[in-house]
């Protein structure tokens, strides 16, 4: 989005992409049944037809440094998204058979032979959780259960996505959340120790907070656990960029013009908002492009 709007203003933007194909979360994080690849590719081809240059296989902090980009270009826009699955922080989540939601969806898109167990638990209540449970079902899982610590009314996932999952036979276990991943004799995930909750008073988000019910713990067998409780940014960005201010979740802090704490470096999308929508990311890209154009136009004048 930022590159497109800069190109319309007569600039020659260059997009640096970590993967070999463009599309980001739309290509690697959204299942094909929701966003067909040919539709996405048509949009990308249209963008490139305007003269936007792309360099793939270029990961920031690995193949190129931010300081290098700042020396070579008049402005830099960070738009890498949030690709790190948030951990549950419970015992056993490092066992074989426990997968991050985004990692699982990425594997589904890049590895045709990705394996999945027969009994799958998906932890979380957002859109990533819905994509993960429906994808697991399509891969042949016999039983797929979604564990969410609030009720259906508090789920952040789109209502239609929840309804579609239910229509496909996904089981929903509301007011439940894992407190431990159980292992088998070989050290692989074999189940979850699950805590039951009731709803208490609303929290800062306006949703009623889950309150654990003392002693209400059960053990449920699963051979695959997909954790989809949130996404975080790659901590490598802040560690390798002196002066870049981020919040406690690693999201870049920007002003109303999308400018970061580093001179001539802007940011937008999930790297600023956390896991949000494509539309919001596009809007922030357009705003960042307008800010850069305003500064460069004034300098030229």
């Amino acid at each position: 989005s930022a590159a497109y709007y800069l190109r319309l203003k007569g600039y020659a933007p260059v997009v640096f992409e970590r993967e070999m194909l463009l599309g980001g979360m739309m290509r690697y994080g959204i299942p094909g049944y929701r966003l067909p690849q040919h539709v996405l590719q048509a949009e990308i081809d249209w963008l490139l037809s305007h003269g936007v240059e792309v360099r793939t296989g270029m990961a920031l902090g690995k193949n190129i440094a931010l300081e290098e980009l700042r020396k070579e270009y008049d402005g830099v826009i960070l738009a890498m998204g949030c690709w790190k699955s948030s951990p549950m922080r419970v015992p056993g989540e490092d066992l074989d058979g426990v997968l991050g939601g985004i990692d699982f969806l990425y594997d589904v898109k890049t590895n045709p032979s990705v394996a999945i167990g027969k009994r799958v638990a998906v932890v979380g209540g957002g859109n990533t959780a819905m994509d993960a449970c429906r994808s697991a079902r399509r891969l042949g899982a016999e039983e797929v259960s979604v564990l969410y610590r609030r009720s259906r009314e508090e789920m952040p996932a789109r209502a239609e996505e929840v309804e579609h999952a239910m229509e496909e036979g996904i089981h929903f276990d509301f007011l439940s959340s894992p407190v431990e991943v159980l292992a088998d004799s070989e050290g692989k995930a074999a189940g979850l120790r699950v805590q039951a909750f009731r709803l208490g008073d609303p929290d800062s988000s306006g949703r009623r907070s889950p309150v654990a019910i003392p002693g209400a713990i059960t053990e449920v067998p699963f051979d695959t656990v997909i954790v989809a409780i949130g996404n975080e940014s790659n901590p490598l960005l802040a560690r390798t960029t002196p002066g870049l201010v981020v919040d406690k979740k690693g999201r870049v802090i920007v002003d109303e013009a999308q400018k970061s704490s580093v001179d001539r470096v802007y940011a937008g999308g999930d790297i600023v908002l956390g896991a949000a929508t494509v539309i919001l990311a596009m809007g922030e890209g357009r705003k960042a492009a307008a800010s850069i154009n305003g500064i460069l136009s004034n300098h030229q004048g």
Side-chain angles (χ1 to χ4, degrees), residues 3 10 25 30 45 60 83 94 96 109 114 133 141 178 186 192 213 220 256 282 287:
M25 192 65 74
I30 298 179
D45 292 341
L60 188 65
W83 286 85
D94 57 344
D96 185 21
K109 297 297 284 287
V114 61
C133 70
E186 298 179 353
L192 294 173
I213 300 174
V220 187
E256 63 279 357
M282 291 175 66
K287 190 190 299 183

Side-chain angles (χ1 to χ4, degrees), residues 59-89:
L60 188 65
K62 179 180 179 182
N63 305 106
I64 193 165
L66 182 58
E67 283 306 303
E68 293 179 61
L69 296 177
R70 291 182 66 228
K71 290 177 182 178
E72 185 174 353
Y73 298 95
D74 296 316
V76 179
I77 299 176
L78 303 175
M80 297 94 71
C82 291
W83 286 85
K84 183 176 181 293
S85 295
S86 300
M88 294 187 291
R89 294 183 173 85

Side-chain angles (χ1 to χ4, degrees), residues 33-255:
Y33 63 82
R34 284 217 295 118
L35 177 59
Q37 293 299 288
H38 71 275
V39 174
L40 175 62
Q41 192 59 49
E43 292 291 324
I44 293 171
D45 292 341
W46 178 83
L47 172 69
L48 298 183
S49 71
H50 286 77
V52 174
E53 181 184 347
V54 174
R55 301 180 190 178
T56 57
M58 299 293 288
L60 188 65
K62 179 180 179 182
N63 305 106
I64 193 165
L66 182 58
E67 283 306 303
E68 293 179 61
L69 296 177
R70 291 182 66 228
K71 290 177 182 178
E72 185 174 353
Y73 298 95
D74 296 316
V76 179
I77 299 176
L78 303 175
M80 297 94 71
C82 291
W83 286 85
K84 183 176 181 293
S85 295
S86 300
M88 294 187 291
R89 294 183 173 85
V90 301
E93 70 174 321
D94 57 344
L95 292 171
D96 185 21
V98 181
L99 313 171
I102 292 298
D103 303 311
F104 169 67
L105 293 173
Y106 180 90
D107 288 344
V108 170
K109 297 297 284 287
T110 58
N111 180 8
S113 60
V114 61
I116 196 75
K118 293 182 178 180
R119 292 175 58 89
V120 178
V122 178
V123 183
N127 291 318
T128 298
M130 297 305 100
D131 288 341
C133 70
R134 297 175 68 191
S135 294
R137 190 70 160 173
R138 283 165 170 75
L139 286 173
E142 296 176 3
E143 298 179 33
V144 182
S145 297
V146 173
L147 283 70
Y148 180 58
R149 62 181 187 153
R150 291 182 169 97
S151 70
R152 180 178 179 180
E153 287 68 31
E154 281 77 29
M155 290 187 77
R158 289 183 293 273
E160 61 268 27
E161 293 297 324
V162 179
E163 292 168 4
H164 292 161
M166 290 180 170
E167 290 170 359
E168 294 176 12
I170 308 299
H171 172 72
F172 282 77
D173 193 0
F174 296 110
L175 295 169
S176 300
S177 185
V179 292
E180 183 179 359
V181 181
L182 305 174
D184 61 14
S185 58
E186 298 179 353
K188 297 180 180 180
L192 294 173
R193 182 167 284 120
V194 180
Q195 169 72 61
F197 292 85
R198 62 174 178 82
L199 290 179
D201 296 328
D203 61 12
S204 58
S205 69
R207 294 182 297 171
R208 295 177 64 189
S209 301
V211 179
I213 300 174
I217 295 179
T218 56
E219 294 186 358
V220 187
F222 293 108
D223 46 28
T224 302
V225 178
I226 301 173
V227 183
I229 59 174
N231 306 340
E232 301 175 1
S233 63
N234 190 330
L236 184 64
L237 174 63
R239 293 173 186 168
T240 59
T241 309
L244 184 67
V245 178
V246 299
D247 66 13
K248 62 182 181 180
K249 293 185 177 181
R251 296 175 297 196
V252 178
I253 295 176
V254 298
D255 62 16

